């Protein structure tokens, strides 16, 4: 049986059955409530039940002491509805509402998907989940104080592992290790989530997603998040690489496009002759759209691509405020 859940003060409503934790039901409906462990241990998802009956589920006393329970508080990651309920809780509208944390993680899997790209998945300690917005990144904290940034390639609803797309930088210290001596089960430490590259969900404008190489990682997260939350704004994904091997997950965007009429996919190669589009990926957008004034653009990849895209799209009418980008800039030697 499905119950109606109302959130205060926003007034948002969604449904939850008796087996689905209220947090999960809210996330499934596209409403982001704060959370950490999703296991009744950290208290991050705590809120007040203003009206209705719930089952608290298996929560730890330290996270929800008896006095708080009596006062109507609950941990929404464990609590399930037993009637229509009204909950008082904060909703995460922007990155500033999500705590930035330092967490250890274990390398769960290293999967070579191209000569110079490894998909790395990380497992967090038991009782920990990373809350983030699709498009954000983490920074590995290396032993010598250096940091290396990588975008999260999975969408927030799919948060069992943190997945990254790591390109090998020739001579690179960290990526050299990833492609050389790193083994599954290695322990790393990172800080995150970071960055303000995420979808503006208040807009109704059609979306252009532009990815260069492993810039596909946050674009994938944004696309999967938009699909999961039922955003049906027209969305065109341009993914550029030198050759077909560089489109290392080439089967995925066509699947999105085949399943959703509002999604289009345009792969573009700069250095290989094929029967698809040729040239620089950011130029392909301009070949298809002479006037960008009605769009939002989300771009991710090498700094040169981002700089050129920004200048050329604004010249084609895109309002500067509608260009969102994460530039894969890198640490200068010695930093
Ligand atoms: C916000 C953000 C998100 C990022 N997300 C991703 C991601 O999802 N996937 C990904 O593959 N990369 C990503 N990057 C780039 C990534 O952080 C760097 O490639 C990485 O830090 C290189 O580390 P390294 O220790 O191997 O190289 P270093 O030892 O730091 O550098 C070795 C040499 O290569 C140069 N160099 C370093 N990085 C690059 C680069 N990217 N391109 C060209 N030359 C470089 C350096 O200047 C130096 O001369 C991101 C960068 C930022 C800022
Ligand atoms: S998310 Fe940690 S207690 Fe609910």
């Amino acid at each position: 049986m499905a119950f109606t859940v109302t959130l205060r003060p926003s007034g948002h409503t969604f449904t939850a059955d008796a087996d689905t934790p209220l947090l999960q039901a809210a996330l499934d409906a596209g409403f982001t409530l704060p959370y950490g462990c999703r296991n009744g241990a950290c208290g991050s998802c705590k809120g007040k039940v203003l009206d209705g009956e719930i089952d608290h589920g298996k929560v730890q006393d330290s996270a929800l002491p008896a006095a708080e329970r009596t006062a109507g508080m609950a941990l929404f990651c464990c609590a399930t509805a037993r009637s229509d309920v009204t909950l008082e809780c904060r909703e995460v509208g922007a990155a500033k509402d999500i705590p930035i944390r330092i967490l250890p993680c274990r390398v769960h899997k290293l999967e070579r998907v191209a000569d110079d790209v490894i998909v790395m998945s990380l497992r967090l300690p038991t009782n920990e989940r990373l809350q983030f917005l699709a498009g954000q990144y983490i920074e590995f904290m290396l032993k010598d104080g250096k940091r290396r940034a990588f975008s999260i390639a999975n969408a927030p609803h799919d948060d069992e592992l943190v997945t990254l797309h790591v390109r090998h930088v020739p001579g690179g210290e960290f990526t050299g290790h990833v492609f050389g001596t790193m083994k599954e089960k290695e322990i790393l430490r990172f800080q995150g989530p970071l960055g303000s590259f995420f979808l503006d969900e208040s807009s109704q404008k059609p979306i252009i997603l532009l990815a260069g190489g492993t810039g596909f990682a946050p674009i994938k997260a944004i696309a999967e998040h938009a699909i999961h939350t039922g955003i049906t704004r027209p969305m065109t994904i341009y993914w550029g690489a030198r050759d077909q091997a560089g489109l290392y997950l080439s089967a995925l965007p066509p699947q999105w496009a085949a399943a959703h009429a509002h999604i289009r996919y345009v792969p573009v190669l700069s250095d290989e002759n094929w029967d698809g589009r040729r040239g620089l990926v950011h130029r392909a957008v301009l070949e298809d759209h002479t006037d960008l004034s009605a769009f939002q653009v989300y771009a991710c990849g090498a700094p040169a691509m981002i700089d050129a895209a920004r200048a050329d799209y604004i010249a084609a009418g895109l309002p500067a405020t509608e260009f969102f980008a994460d530039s894969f800039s890198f640490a200068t030697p010695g930093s």
Side-chain angles (χ1 to χ4, degrees), residues 23 34-46 63 75-78 127:
L23 170 68
Y35 67 87
C37 65
R38 292 179 75 164
N39 201 25
C42 72
S44 303
C45 63
K46 197 180 294 176
L75 299 180
F76 298 141
C77 70
C78 296
N127 287 347

Side-chain angles (χ1 to χ4, degrees), residues 137 148-151 165 167 169 172-175 214 328-330:
Y137 67 94
R148 297 292 185 264
F150 290 91
S151 307
H165 298 170
R167 184 175 73 85
V169 175
E173 188 181 323
F174 179 72
T175 61
T214 46
F328 281 5
S329 51
F330 37 85

Side-chain angles (χ1 to χ4, degrees), residues 4 11 19 23 36-37 54 85 92 98 102 107 110 118 120 133 191 195 212 230 255 259 263 272 293 310 314 330:
T4 300
D19 298 324
L23 170 68
C37 65
I54 60 149
V85 287
V92 180
I98 301 179
I102 293 177
V107 177
L110 294 168
I118 280 181
M120 176 195 282
L133 299 176
Q191 184 175 41
Q255 284 169 16
I263 298 180
E272 183 182 323
S293 57
R310 182 185 287 109
I314 291 172
F330 37 85

Side-chain angles (χ1 to χ4, degrees), residues 125-298:
T126 317
N127 287 347
E128 292 285 7
R129 292 288 169 109
L130 181 71
Q131 185 169 20
F132 63 97
L133 299 176
Q136 288 192 291
Y137 67 94
I138 59 168
E139 267 183 3
F140 286 115
M141 304 170 72
L142 310 185
K143 284 202 178 73
D144 50 11
K146 292 178 186 163
R147 288 170 171 252
R148 297 292 185 264
F150 290 91
S151 307
I152 304 169
N154 50 296
H157 67 272
D158 171 26
D159 69 350
E160 195 182 341
L161 300 169
V162 175
T163 306
L164 313 172
H165 298 170
V166 180
R167 184 175 73 85
H168 187 204
V169 175
E173 188 181 323
F174 179 72
T175 61
H177 172 54
V178 174
F179 279 75
T181 47
M182 180 176 275
K183 297 271 183 299
E184 289 171 358
K185 295 195 170 57
E186 180 170 321
I187 303 283
L188 296 167
R189 207 161 62 106
F190 70 80
Q191 184 175 41
L194 300 167
S196 53
F197 183 64
F198 48 80
L199 197 60
D200 167 14
E201 296 186 27
S202 66
S203 170
Q204 292 306 317
K205 291 186 173 183
I207 302 164
I208 290 171
L209 299 178
L210 173 69
T214 46
F216 181 63
I219 296 297
K220 170 179 174 292
I222 289 174
E224 290 181 339
H225 170 72
I227 291 168
H228 180 76
T229 53
I231 292 170
T232 54
R233 292 156 63 187
M235 188 162 80
T236 309
I237 302 156
Y238 290 85
W239 187 9
R242 279 199 299 276
D243 52 25
Q244 292 189 62
L247 304 175
Y248 49 87
L249 291 178
S250 61
L252 197 55
Q255 284 169 16
W256 300 332
H260 302 279
H262 63 284
I263 298 180
R264 210 163 68 88
Y265 172 52
V266 183
V268 183
L269 299 183
S270 59
D271 293 7
E272 183 182 323
N273 274 323
W274 72 326
D275 51 12
R277 299 281 289 271
R278 286 283 320 266
L280 295 176
V281 63
H282 91 275
R283 299 293 309 172
V285 174
L286 294 164
E287 288 160 15
D288 296 350
H289 305 87
T290 46
D291 178 4
L292 286 171
S293 57
F295 287 82
Q296 280 194 328
V297 175
Y298 295 80

